[in-house]
Amino acid sequence: MARLRYALRLAFSSTTTTPKHVRALASVHRASSIFAPHDEFPERHIGPDDKETATMLSKLGYKSMDAFVGDAVPTKIRVPATNISNETIAAFSESQLHARAKALGAQNKSFKSYIGMGYHNAVVPPVILRNVIENPQWYTPYTPYQPEIAQGRLESLVNFQTMVMSLTSMDIANASMLDEATAAAEGMVMAFVSSNQKKKKFLVDSGVLPQTIAVLRTRAKGFGIQLVIGDASSAIEDQALRSELCGVMVQYPDVNGNVKDFAALAESAHSAGALVVCGTDLLALITLKPPGEWGADIVLGNSARFGVPAGYGGPHGAFFAVADKLKRKMPGRLIGRSRDATGKPAYRLALQTREQHIRREKATSNICTSQALLANMAAMYAVYHGPDGLQRIADKVHGFTQVFKSTIESVGYKVSNSTFFDTVTVDVTAIGKSAKDLHEASTAVGINLRQVDNEHVGVTFDESITPEDLVKLINVFTSVVSSPSVSLADLKEPAGSSIPPELKRTSKYLHYPVFNKHHSETEMLRYINHLASKDIGLVHTMIPLGSCTMKLNSTSSMIPLTWPEFSNVHPFVPYDQVKGYHTVIKELEEDLARITGFHSTSLQPNSGAAGEYAGLCVIRAYHENRGEGHRDICLIPISAHGTNPASAVMAGLKVVPVKSLADGSLDLEDLKAKAEKHRDNLAAFMITYPSTFGVFEEGVQDACKIIHDNGGQVYLDGANLNAQIGLTNPATCGGDVCHMNLHKTFAIPHGGGGPGVGPICVAEHLAPFLPSHPAMSSIGIKAIDAVSAAPFGSSSIHLISWAYIKMLGGKGLSESSKIALLNANYMASRLSGHYSLRYKNTKGRVAHELLIDLAEFDKAAGLKVADFAKRLQDYGFHPPTCSWPISTCMLIEPTESETLEEIDRFCDAMIQIREEAEDIITGKQPKDNNLLKNAPHPPSVIALSDAEWNRPYTRREAAYPLPYLEEKKFWPTVSRIDDAYGDLNLICDCPSVEELAHS
């Protein structure tokens, strides 16, 4: 029946013999000259060609794109087409961009860095480099909110969690955080919340990384927490401090390399009712007694040492592990084991009620992402090396450090720290020299040392250092004291370890099967690709997630990412060594400011939510500078992103909700009333534009004026910026600051749940308050403290957005926004009559996404949003955004990268599912046993015997409801997963040998 319906629809909907889902030959623009580039990027990035564009416009009743855009975007917020054009942002072809990136990469000097401070030169195993970070099957999927089609990366993230739990000896770990510094800030807030927000002092040991302390300062301010920085072991004996102490943070080993026994400190902190937060290093924990064994409550750090490039600061996956008593307060994503409808073990996101999109203003964390791609790389590194391989690496690193220490001490230097794993701090006064002398000698031969002060230098070793590197480094130190140079033959292996016996690790780690079987490249390659085969990504189909902008992540923009001239750069090297990077950063900042209409940009925030938080902190600093620090009210529409209220709370603001009207638009009367009521304390107004309901609201400028008239600033959430470029901009709409998601609008991959980048652009009056960083060469006196661990955030993936913008050029960027609007409106037109379109503007148009309401099916047949979503998986699609921003709705965003063929294929699937729902409504299928309620149907279900098949439909109807699926189908690997069971039986690590044998 389904095949007949489909055939009839094709017969009556097309006058050609070409089926709707089979694309005709695409039209390609003729080059203006044989000397012009033939690899221009816009026609590769934008899905519909000219013919398809004309077809969609015609279906919507338009003769031109301008006429269509005029109905979709309010006239009064439009900007001149000349604002964003090839004259303002010149276009590069793919090959031209490649050549320019190479030239800029050559401007980054190839120094060997021994700077340390939480960053290392990782060795990325080639099998992981090529098959994970360079593999679109791993970097194009979305966050695994649909676990039935994400079992591969969920398993890998469980490997990551297990790795962290095992090495730290903690009870539970999450699936990664943005970076070590922000993870530390989350740990501090957890300690504060655990005291019922009554104890407001947090003790930070002076050995904690300086960039971490800077981020702690920023976060502490919003919560009214007072940082006390000093020697933690002595400071904690202060009785006045103990009575107000919520937590203590230590670094293990510390920034200077010291390995201290913090057991007594932990016991003292616990007796005062405080939590102990420990920043640490996973490789060090191969040899050191794990923090979980000496009393830490929260353990965190940077996992990038496990096979993730330095990348001038990131992106990197931070790890975060806690004691069992804190698991339900732990921020971030958590992967747990559960079971599917047939009882088969399966993974999924656990304890989601902790997440900010549910808790909103009650949340104390706004983190809504992880660093899944980087966490998966770190997990694969541990899987590949296993415990024995990791032990060899740790022994080498520690051994090289010992050899270095003993050799330089033999020529007169003094090492300040008697205990160490991989870092020593060298006192140069013993030889009558200054630190400057050492730095001059090292830079002359291409070596960077850590700049500590005038009397000390720091040296940190890592896996990448070869015996030849070690000899070269030692000879820098010998040359300064005019001692004879050494050769490799002069060096002797250390007799033992320099780690105190009481701090040596004795417990076993990584005993799970997955870490002990994939050590040949053949086995590792097959394991990586086996997991990838379980996950749906853009390599398979469109991912029409509303408010997520899952567009093409072009290969041409990804290529420079792993070039060594960009990937092997420490974030704290001198600026004159990274001129190429700084050109990329400067150009990206300028282009983003031009696109948004603002004055200045900061690339430091590591996610969209981090951008929201940074923007609100900038607004608070602005008010304080004007003597209006009392302004602490933030108005937020109920339609706002869930991160908005959470970010406001983190910035120390009080949230006041603003109503929406029946048509989805902002209630300006309610806004005006609340702005006037709070005019003396109004700090900010947060608004998403276009709204999360999928329309450009006519009154956005009026709303912004209301706020400005009452002394507030406007934060415009740029999550939906993809609908605006070249047509309008946040500044024209009335904003003072906006963030944008480079992993949405500007084509950084979502990575299966991270990384992301959330830079902020601000008006000129807010520019002096943009985030600073201890490693920045110059810091304005009005700048807020750092919001991420690295000065420019996740610098290496800025290359992707820089390349994307440069290859599209101004014209291509504007055209992309137009096609994004057209694709969404064409989809809305095709689905109308089958589904209820919740909101549209006065011209009947949506923006770049559409909201369909499924409430009628719940009333008529008990069908929920999840039933439609799971059934879409059977059609080979990732479902749209479900139950957000309205619980009964789906939010659909096709982006500009999808062709008319793919959009029609999705619409055909949705229409067919609507007909299946009608069979349930009319009683042709029972309400409790039907195609939607039983979806998805993995191969294991389709393969059931006739005796086991107890369903009132055929296997073909379940698996191949439309003909195209017989040729091309992505199969879910498990049936629908039981979330409640997983939360009630929380298991977040790998299965043991016994469990695997039992299963």
Side-chain angles (χ1 to χ4, degrees):
M1 182 61 70
R3 294 162 61 83
L4 178 60
R5 289 170 179 161
Y6 186 73
L8 289 172
R9 257 205 327 274
L10 289 179
F12 286 103
S13 63
S14 175
T15 57
T16 71
T17 57
T18 304
K20 189 178 296 183
H21 63 281
V22 178
R23 194 182 191 197
L25 293 176
S27 60
V28 178
H29 295 133
R30 293 182 65 86
S32 58
S33 161
I34 61 169
F35 303 110
H38 67 275
D39 57 345
E40 293 179 325
F41 185 62
E43 66 184 39
R44 302 301 187 192
H45 172 72
I46 297 172
D49 59 22
D50 290 347
K51 184 176 179 181
E52 290 180 330
T53 298
T55 297
M56 287 191 284
L57 286 170
S58 177
K59 292 284 188 183
L60 295 175
Y62 295 98
K63 294 183 178 180
S64 71
M65 179 66 79
D66 287 344
F68 161 71
V69 172
D71 280 354
V73 185
T75 303
K76 59 185 177 182
I77 63 167
R78 292 290 301 277
V79 296
T82 53
N83 276 24
I84 305 297
S85 66
N86 283 356
E87 284 65 48
T88 58
I89 301 177
F92 288 73
S93 70
E94 291 181 284
S95 56
Q96 289 170 339
L97 189 283
H98 186 278
R100 183 143 193 271
K102 270 294 180 187
L104 291 176
Q107 294 180 21
N108 296 329
K109 297 179 182 178
S110 180
F111 274 50
K112 192 72 177 177
S113 290
Y114 297 82
I115 298 171
M117 298 177 70
Y119 293 96
H120 306 85
N121 300 305
V123 175
V124 188
V127 67
I128 296 174
L129 179 74
R130 175 59 60 90
N131 294 286
V132 180
I133 195 171
E134 294 181 346
N135 183 351
Q137 284 188 280
W138 280 93
Y139 65 69
T140 67
Y142 187 64
T143 302
Y145 285 120
Q146 297 291 336
E148 297 85 1
I149 47 177
Q151 286 296 296
R153 97 194 83 110
L154 285 169
E155 179 177 327
S156 184
L157 289 172
V158 167
N159 292 346
F160 176 82
Q161 293 175 177
T162 304
M163 171 189 77
V164 172
M165 292 159 63
S166 181
L167 293 178
T168 62
S169 286
M170 297 301 286
D171 297 318
I172 194 165
N174 71 16
S176 73
M177 305 283 271
L178 299 178
D179 61 32
E180 181 170 354
T182 53
E186 297 286 350
M188 175 184 68
V189 174
M190 276 188 74
F192 176 55
V193 171
S194 293
S195 75
N196 294 318
Q197 304 189 27
K198 293 179 180 178
K199 295 183 175 183
K200 293 199 170 186
K201 289 191 177 179
F202 187 76
L203 176 59
V204 182
D205 189 74
S206 53
V208 170
L209 302 173
Q211 67 268 24
T212 297
I213 294 175
V215 173
L216 288 173
R217 282 198 189 99
T218 312
R219 189 71 64 89
K221 188 172 184 179
F223 287 96
I225 299 170
Q226 181 183 342
L227 293 188
V228 179
I229 302 172
D231 178 63
S233 295
S234 58
I236 199 165
E237 299 307 319
D238 182 338
Q239 293 302 316
L241 173 62
R242 291 174 66 85
S243 65
E244 301 180 68
L245 190 66
C246 67
V248 183
M249 180 168 184
V250 296
Q251 198 83 34
Y252 178 74
D254 74 12
V255 66
N256 297 312
N258 297 289
V259 180
K260 299 179 180 179
D261 188 346
F262 290 117
L265 172 67
E267 185 177 354
S268 181
H270 292 154
S271 69
L275 297 183
V276 176
V277 181
C278 174
T280 191
D281 169 47
L282 292 178
L283 191 66
L285 297 184
I286 301 293
T287 60
L288 297 180
K289 185 177 183 179
E293 294 179 13
W294 53 250
D297 301 291
I298 301 170
V299 181
L300 54 91
N302 186 355
S303 70
R305 190 167 199 168
F306 278 23
V308 179
Y312 197 40
H316 297 151
F319 59 90
F320 195 93
V322 302
D324 185 73
K325 64 184 179 181
L326 297 173
K327 66 186 178 185
R328 293 183 185 271
K329 296 179 181 178
M330 180 172 60
R333 292 191 175 126
L334 180 66
I335 314 302
R337 281 191 268 165
S338 186
R339 63 187 183 191
D340 72 1
T342 67
K344 181 179 178 182
Y347 298 106
R348 89 299 174 236
L349 291 171
L351 300 182
Q352 290 192 61
T353 53
R354 299 170 303 114
E355 296 195 19
Q356 48 67 36
H357 66 278
I358 293 172
R359 291 180 56 79
R360 294 179 70 84
E361 68 272 8
K362 295 180 181 178
T364 53
S365 170
N366 69 347
I367 188 166
C368 65
T369 190
S370 57
Q371 298 281 30
L373 183 64
L374 299 318
N376 282 327
M377 288 183 69
M380 291 297 184
Y381 178 93
V383 168
Y384 193 39
H385 287 295
D388 292 340
L390 292 175
Q391 187 70 61
R392 287 196 299 269
I393 294 168
D395 289 346
K396 172 194 170 183
V397 170
H398 183 55
F400 272 33
T401 313
Q402 291 176 279
V403 171
F404 171 77
K405 174 181 180 290
S406 61
T407 306
I408 65 167
E409 284 182 331
S410 71
V411 296
Y413 290 92
K414 179 183 177 182
V415 171
S416 300
N417 52 310
S418 59
T419 59
F420 58 85
F421 168 66
D422 64 0
T423 297
V424 291
T425 300
V426 183
D427 184 344
V428 299
T429 60
I431 59 165
K433 298 289 184 178
S434 70
K436 181 181 178 183
D437 297 322
L438 263 297
H439 290 303
E440 288 179 349
S442 67
T443 54
V445 294
I447 288 175
N448 290 318
L449 306 175
R450 179 188 166 214
Q451 298 181 12
V452 180
D453 55 33
N454 292 331
E455 299 177 346
H456 300 85
V457 297
V459 182
T460 296
F461 290 83
D462 58 51
E463 178 192 3
S464 73
I465 296 164
T466 65
E468 292 73 23
D469 293 328
L470 177 60
V471 170
K472 184 177 179 180
L473 174 67
I474 290 172
N475 284 330
V476 167
F477 283 77
T478 61
S479 69
V480 172
V481 294
S482 301
S483 290
S485 61
V486 302
S487 68
L488 187 59
D490 298 321
L491 304 181
K492 294 181 173 55
E493 291 196 27
S497 171
S498 298
I499 297 169
E502 67 274 14
L503 289 178
K504 286 185 179 180
R505 183 173 195 132
T506 58
S507 56
K508 293 183 178 181
Y509 54 90
L510 302 183
H511 58 278
Y512 299 86
V514 71
F515 297 107
N516 292 279
K517 60 186 298 186
H518 304 293
H519 302 325
S520 75
E521 182 169 334
T522 301
E523 285 301 309
M524 191 66 196
L525 179 67
R526 289 171 182 165
Y527 181 62
I528 290 171
N529 284 284
H530 168 63
L531 295 189
S533 71
K534 298 181 178 184
D535 290 13
I536 200 166
L538 289 173
V539 296
H540 303 103
T541 180
M542 73 186 299
I543 301 180
L545 285 154
S547 201
C548 298
T549 316
M550 298 292 292
K551 63 171 65 177
L552 169 74
N553 313 125
S554 74
T555 304
S556 52
S557 64
M558 292 291 292
I559 286 174
L561 179 65
T562 52
W563 289 346
E565 51 264 54
F566 288 112
S567 65
N568 293 343
V569 181
H570 193 284
F572 302 152
V573 301
Y575 277 17
D576 65 358
Q577 293 178 21
V578 279
K579 291 181 178 178
Y581 248 126
H582 280 261
T583 297
V584 170
I585 288 168
K586 182 175 183 291
E587 290 184 0
L588 180 57
E589 288 176 342
E590 290 174 346
D591 285 342
L592 293 177
R594 182 175 292 109
I595 287 166
T596 59
F598 285 126
H599 180 274
S600 300
T601 305
S602 170
L603 296 172
Q604 197 177 119
N606 275 332
S607 72
E612 294 172 12
Y613 169 67
L616 292 171
C617 288
V618 164
I619 288 174
R620 291 224 72 182
Y622 166 76
H623 287 309
E624 288 170 3
N625 185 65
R626 288 162 52 88
E628 297 185 333
H630 62 276
R631 291 187 173 272
D632 63 354
I633 297 296
C634 185
L635 303 181
I636 302 180
I638 60 172
S639 62
H641 277 92
T643 50
N644 288 180
S647 297
V649 169
M650 289 170 54
L653 298 170
K654 298 172 184 175
V655 175
V656 175
V658 179
K659 299 175 184 176
S660 292
L661 298 174
D663 64 357
S665 62
L666 182 68
D667 187 334
L668 291 178
E669 289 187 10
D670 189 51
L671 177 69
K672 187 172 187 293
K674 287 173 178 172
E676 291 176 349
K677 177 183 177 181
H678 298 287
R679 65 175 303 127
D680 294 336
N681 296 301
L682 181 61
F685 169 55
M686 301 185 78
I687 183 171
T688 303
Y689 201 73
S691 80
T692 56
F693 291 155
V695 292
F696 283 98
E697 296 184 29
E698 295 278 353
V700 63
Q701 291 174 323
D702 297 329
C704 294
K705 185 177 185 302
I706 289 170
I707 300 304
H708 290 144
D709 288 347
N710 287 280
Q713 295 284 288
V714 176
Y715 177 93
L716 200 148
D717 188 312
N720 294 337
L721 189 68
N722 203 50
Q724 297 185 38
I725 302 178
L727 308 178
T728 184
N729 62 51
T732 298
C733 292
D736 299 290
V737 55
C738 78
H739 91 271
M740 62 223 83
N741 301 79
L742 299 191
H743 50 288
K744 295 182 183 181
T745 307
F746 300 103
I748 288 176
H750 282 71
V757 179
I760 57 172
C761 292
V762 298
E764 187 171 4
H765 65 280
L766 296 179
F769 306 96
L770 286 172
S772 62
H773 192 280
M776 284 183 168
S777 59
S778 61
I779 300 173
I781 59 173
K782 297 180 181 179
I784 66 171
D785 273 311
V787 296
S788 76
F792 301 100
S794 297
S795 300
S796 65
I797 55 175
H798 297 337
L799 285 160
I800 301 169
S801 294
W802 170 78
Y804 171 84
I805 291 170
K806 293 304 182 188
M807 288 191 294
L808 277 178
K811 182 181 178 182
L813 288 165
S814 180
E815 190 67 18
S816 293
S817 286
K818 293 175 183 178
I819 296 297
L821 296 175
L822 180 62
N823 281 354
N825 277 275
Y826 173 80
M827 185 177 284
S829 175
R830 276 219 61 198
L831 295 180
S832 66
H834 304 281
Y835 294 95
S836 172
L837 182 65
R838 185 68 181 261
Y839 299 117
K840 53 190 175 184
N841 69 11
T842 56
K843 302 289 182 66
R845 296 287 154 240
V846 298
H848 65 307
E849 57 192 0
L850 54 142
L851 192 65
I852 62 170
D853 198 336
L854 306 176
E856 62 184 281
F857 301 102
D858 189 5
K859 295 176 182 176
L863 295 173
K864 309 291 187 182
V865 173
D867 298 320
F868 285 82
K870 303 308 180 186
R871 183 57 176 154
L872 259 175
Q873 295 179 16
D874 285 328
Y875 286 77
F877 281 105
H878 191 294
T881 300
C882 294
S883 300
W884 188 88
I886 297 173
S887 62
T888 59
C889 292
M890 278 184 168
L891 187 63
I892 309 172
E893 181 184 359
T895 85
E896 71 274 14
S897 297
E898 301 302 338
T899 63
L900 177 58
E901 173 194 352
E902 184 72 354
I903 292 169
D904 275 333
R905 194 167 69 90
F906 175 81
C907 290
D908 289 341
M910 288 294 292
I911 292 167
Q912 183 65 34
I913 293 171
R914 172 64 181 85
E915 294 183 5
E916 292 172 350
E918 186 64 24
D919 286 346
I920 302 167
I921 292 170
T922 59
K924 292 181 180 178
Q925 284 199 22
K927 290 184 178 181
D928 60 344
N929 183 15
N930 55 65
L931 286 163
L932 276 71
K933 286 293 182 184
N934 293 333
H937 298 81
S940 58
V941 168
I942 299 300
L944 290 173
S945 67
D946 290 341
E948 295 171 305
W949 186 263
N950 61 346
R951 308 176 185 218
Y953 50 85
T954 67
R955 292 177 178 81
R956 174 170 288 279
E957 288 174 318
Y960 302 111
L962 289 178
Y964 73 82
L965 292 165
E966 295 180 19
E967 178 184 354
K968 178 184 176 183
K969 179 180 171 71
F970 183 89
W971 287 89
T973 55
V974 294
S975 298
R976 193 177 306 196
I977 293 175
D978 187 339
D979 290 323
Y981 176 86
D983 282 351
L984 290 171
N985 303 272
L986 190 63
I987 303 173
C988 299
D989 59 358
C990 297
S992 65
V993 174
E994 294 79 11
E995 288 172 317
L996 287 173
H998 177 72
S999 65

